[in-house]
Amino acid sequence: MRFSGQSCISASRTALEIVQIEEAQSIVWEQARDALKVRFADLPRILPDPSDETAQESYASRFPDDSGMLHIDGDGEALTVTITDEAPLSPVDKHRELSHRAELETRENAVDKLTHPMWAISKGQVIWSNKAFRTLQRAKASTGSEIKEVFHFDTLRALSGQSQRVSISVGSSQSEAHWFDISSVEVSEDVLLNCAVNVDGLIAAETAQRKFVQTLAKTFAQLSTGLAIFDRDRRLVLFNPALIDLTSLPPHFLSAQPNLQSFFDRLRDNRIMPEPKDYSSWRRQIADLVVKSSDGRYQETWRLPNGLTYRIVGRPHPDGAIAILIEDISLEVSLT
């Protein structure tokens, strides 16, 4: 290829096949460099001045078993970019090349069968994509949208190992939203490989769980029985308004997720439970509560100094958590 400045003025048929452009006049050095740097590293971003005496450079192939060389020569008026090789392919080299081509085709077919969209970007342009990505691309294009990008995400965060969760809308009415977690890796100079994993099922599960928790919260709010749920680390993770009414514990204390020991210490300080004889027996009592609640055997009746009577029940909860239920049974006791 011969270049005047950064534009090509003539090229051989082989050169046109390498850069995959039909006419030499349509080639600029940036395009040629992108096609050639796969094989030859450290090519200049800008071609030197052809009148410069030092405008003669040679670049070896980045592959150890490749004898190819790329030469840039200036003759005062134009630059000539030439690729030379020591000898034509031997039967062994040709066999290796064809085997490598077959292996690439197998990989390409495998990637095309993946349900996860994958695509490579160079300088903001998509230079490669698999079938799943192209399907989404066509779906977006069918909506008449002028937005060229399929996904909008923070590339720097995706490169740092933090997957980016984004949603896209497809369909004629743009009402069908799909969620994806996107991660990126830098595979070579100026080339990023991106992968989007569909998480519609996860989003649906999280939404259902959130609605379920909201429904539970509304149900718990209407209970007259106080409810306190402690997770496997024995931190308070859920309580209802009845617990505040029965224990007189301040909401800010409960919202701070106290541990089980602190919770019962505060009940003792507020005289909402029988006063233990000594601290060591108190510790044993709390340990016994945890053990018996884990298999649903804990149940006690507390007669408080203020004349009220509470029934305390411990029940196991999923994932090692326990639920403590506090019920005012004063009326039931007085009737008895």
Side-chain angles (χ1 to χ4, degrees):
M1 291 177 285
R2 284 181 60 80
F3 285 86
S4 176
Q6 305 302 311
S7 301
C8 184
I9 54 177
S10 64
S12 67
R13 181 179 57 82
T14 308
L16 293 176
E17 290 179 1
I18 289 176
V19 297
Q20 297 183 359
I21 296 178
E22 295 182 356
E23 296 182 359
Q25 287 73 19
S26 302
I27 304 173
V28 295
W29 169 244
E30 185 179 16
Q31 295 171 309
R33 179 179 180 274
D34 287 342
L36 296 171
K37 70 181 182 182
V38 175
R39 185 180 180 190
F40 303 99
D42 304 322
L43 294 177
R45 292 184 175 273
I46 299 176
L47 287 174
D49 188 338
S51 61
D52 191 341
E53 294 181 357
T54 61
Q56 292 187 355
E57 297 288 344
S58 296
Y59 301 88
S61 170
R62 65 169 73 227
F63 303 106
D65 57 348
D66 183 7
S67 61
M69 296 287 294
L70 185 143
H71 308 278
I72 300 178
D73 300 304
D75 57 10
E77 296 181 356
L79 286 171
T80 302
V81 178
T82 310
I83 296 177
T84 61
D85 212 334
E86 292 181 357
L89 290 178
S90 67
V92 174
D93 291 334
K94 186 174 183 179
H95 180 79
R96 287 176 179 171
E97 181 186 358
L98 294 175
S99 298
H100 181 61
R101 187 184 304 173
E103 184 181 349
L104 289 178
E105 289 177 355
T106 301
R107 292 180 182 177
E108 189 78 17
N109 291 333
V111 172
D112 267 342
K113 293 183 185 302
L114 288 176
T115 58
H116 306 315
M118 299 180 67
W119 70 104
I121 295 177
S122 177
K123 300 173 184 177
Q125 300 294 323
V126 176
I127 59 174
W128 172 87
S129 62
N130 69 346
K131 185 178 179 180
F133 181 85
R134 294 191 294 272
T135 301
L136 283 178
Q137 211 171 26
R138 287 194 297 269
K140 291 283 286 185
S142 65
T143 62
S145 174
E146 296 182 358
I147 301 176
K148 295 181 179 180
E149 295 181 2
V150 176
F151 298 100
H152 298 274
F153 62 99
D154 188 338
T155 305
L156 293 179
R157 289 189 63 186
L159 280 171
S160 66
Q162 305 177 42
S163 62
Q164 298 293 288
R165 180 163 296 179
V166 298
S167 66
I168 63 171
S169 299
V170 296
S172 57
S173 61
Q174 291 280 301
S175 59
E176 187 180 353
H178 296 279
W179 289 87
F180 293 86
D181 281 349
I182 300 177
S183 56
S184 303
V185 292
E186 189 172 9
V187 293
S188 62
E189 182 186 3
D190 298 330
V191 177
L192 298 179
L193 180 64
N194 308 283
C195 179
V197 179
N198 185 281
V199 291
D200 286 347
L202 179 61
I203 294 296
E206 289 177 351
T207 303
Q209 182 186 34
R210 188 162 51 249
K211 290 180 178 178
F212 179 67
V213 170
Q214 290 172 352
T215 302
L216 283 180
K218 292 178 182 178
T219 303
F220 292 157
Q222 298 172 0
L223 291 177
S224 59
T225 301
L227 175 68
I229 296 180
F230 295 84
D231 63 14
R232 65 189 306 170
D233 297 321
R234 303 300 176 250
R235 310 288 300 188
L236 180 64
V237 293
L238 181 64
F239 64 92
N240 66 343
L243 184 72
I244 300 175
D245 297 335
L246 292 171
T247 63
S248 301
L249 295 178
H252 65 82
F253 169 75
L254 297 174
S255 300
Q257 295 187 320
N259 60 31
L260 190 71
Q261 186 69 48
S262 299
F263 176 79
F264 280 98
D265 280 343
R266 196 66 174 263
L267 287 182
R268 186 188 61 175
D269 295 341
N270 287 4
R271 306 191 62 168
I272 306 298
M273 64 180 300
E275 182 67 27
K277 295 180 181 179
D278 57 72
Y279 192 74
S280 60
S281 66
W282 163 246
R283 297 285 294 183
R284 287 195 301 272
Q285 185 178 350
I286 297 301
D288 187 55
L289 181 152
V290 172
V291 172
K292 290 185 176 180
S293 295
S294 298
D295 55 16
R297 293 186 293 112
Y298 183 81
Q299 180 170 319
E300 280 194 0
T301 300
W302 290 350
R303 291 175 175 82
L304 307 184
N306 59 8
L308 296 176
T309 304
Y310 285 176
R311 179 188 291 128
I312 313 300
V313 178
R315 291 287 183 265
H317 214 61
D319 197 27
I322 60 173
I324 305 297
L325 292 86
I326 302 178
E327 183 182 3
D328 185 352
I329 59 170
S330 303
L331 180 60
E332 178 185 333
V333 170
S334 63
L335 288 174
T336 302

